[in-house]
Amino acid sequence: MTTTPLRIDIISDVVCPWCIVGYRQLKRAAEASGTAVDIHWHPFELNPSMPAEGQNMVEHIMEKYGSSQAESHANRDRLTAIGEDLDFTFLFADDMRMHNTFDTHQLLHWATLKGKGDDLKQALFIAHFTHCRNLSDPDVLAAIASEVSLERAEAEAILVDQRFADQVRAEEKFWTQQGITGVPAMVFDRQHLVTGAQGVDNYTNILSQLTQGGCAAT
């Protein structure tokens, strides 16, 4: 087992299903290989121009990626099966919506300062994909923050005064300038970039190479 945690920076969005899949695969690989990891979450918006009311998920996927309704449902089925294997529940519904996530990233920035970044990140993934909660609603976001022992009144104030907006935009800009155009994107040991959900076996190989002094593929 490694004694010094391996730093892993994960650039992601909470409405990205492959982001939670990739994270769960990485976590399982780390546990299986006995690799201590130090996870740092960073913001990325899949749909920065999405209006506050959001958009129906199926319609959004069809418009953005040119997929048919049948293809969209097949992808849902695939994700549901993958999620079950990783102990994560995807409960897709026909009225599920894609949301603007800028405010979620502001709360995540604050939660990280409070030592609760990972707790809130996981709660937001579950809120969106398992419970279909409206992540565009400030009241919903404040409630989720309170559910991971963050101060609800402060969360509400942050969403009103947007105090972390500049920091989040600056961090998003930094990662896009590094060439990040899609998520999940993981940077291992500050130097090895791996994109997409790679699967448990591939993550295990990457962790093994890095902890044994080798070089991971990028």
Side-chain angles (χ1 to χ4, degrees), residues 47-215:
N47 304 286
S49 61
M50 180 69 68
E53 65 272 16
Q55 183 183 18
N56 178 273
M57 181 73 75
V58 174
E59 292 177 1
H60 173 76
I61 297 299
M62 291 171 65
E63 287 181 11
K64 186 172 183 177
Y65 301 106
S67 59
S68 67
Q69 188 170 15
E71 289 170 333
S72 178
H73 282 294
N75 191 47
R76 287 184 176 190
D77 292 342
R78 180 187 174 204
L79 280 165
T80 299
I82 292 172
E84 287 177 359
D85 185 56
L86 296 168
D87 299 319
F88 185 85
T89 303
F90 287 104
L91 288 179
F92 294 107
D94 288 340
D95 60 351
M96 191 173 182
R97 301 186 73 77
M98 179 64 76
H99 303 292
N100 184 300
T101 56
F102 186 67
D103 281 346
T104 71
H105 291 301
Q106 289 193 75
L107 286 187
L108 285 164
H109 181 90
W110 164 61
T112 298
L113 297 176
K114 297 288 188 179
K116 290 279 188 177
D118 187 70
D119 291 343
L120 183 59
K121 187 79 173 186
Q122 304 308 316
L124 288 165
F125 277 130
I126 292 170
H128 179 64
F129 289 112
T130 305
H131 301 301
C132 294
R133 296 170 77 176
N134 182 2
L135 300 188
S136 296
D137 187 334
D139 289 336
V140 171
L141 292 179
I144 296 169
S146 70
E147 290 161 14
V148 296
S149 302
L150 288 162
E151 178 58 49
R152 177 167 183 153
E154 189 172 358
E156 292 171 341
I158 289 166
L159 295 173
V160 170
D161 64 32
Q162 301 282 291
R163 70 188 68 165
F164 295 119
D166 289 345
Q167 290 95 321
V168 170
R169 289 194 179 98
E171 192 170 5
E172 289 178 333
K173 182 179 180 180
F174 170 82
W175 288 109
T176 57
Q177 288 177 336
Q178 306 311 303
I180 304 300
T181 58
V183 289
M186 301 184 188
V187 181
F188 292 77
D189 197 26
R190 298 182 185 269
Q191 54 187 320
H192 305 288
L193 172 64
V194 177
T195 59
Q198 292 291 314
V200 176
D201 290 344
N202 283 340
Y203 283 129
T204 300
N205 290 334
I206 290 168
L207 294 173
S208 295
Q209 290 177 48
L210 290 173
T211 56
Q212 293 172 14
C215 296

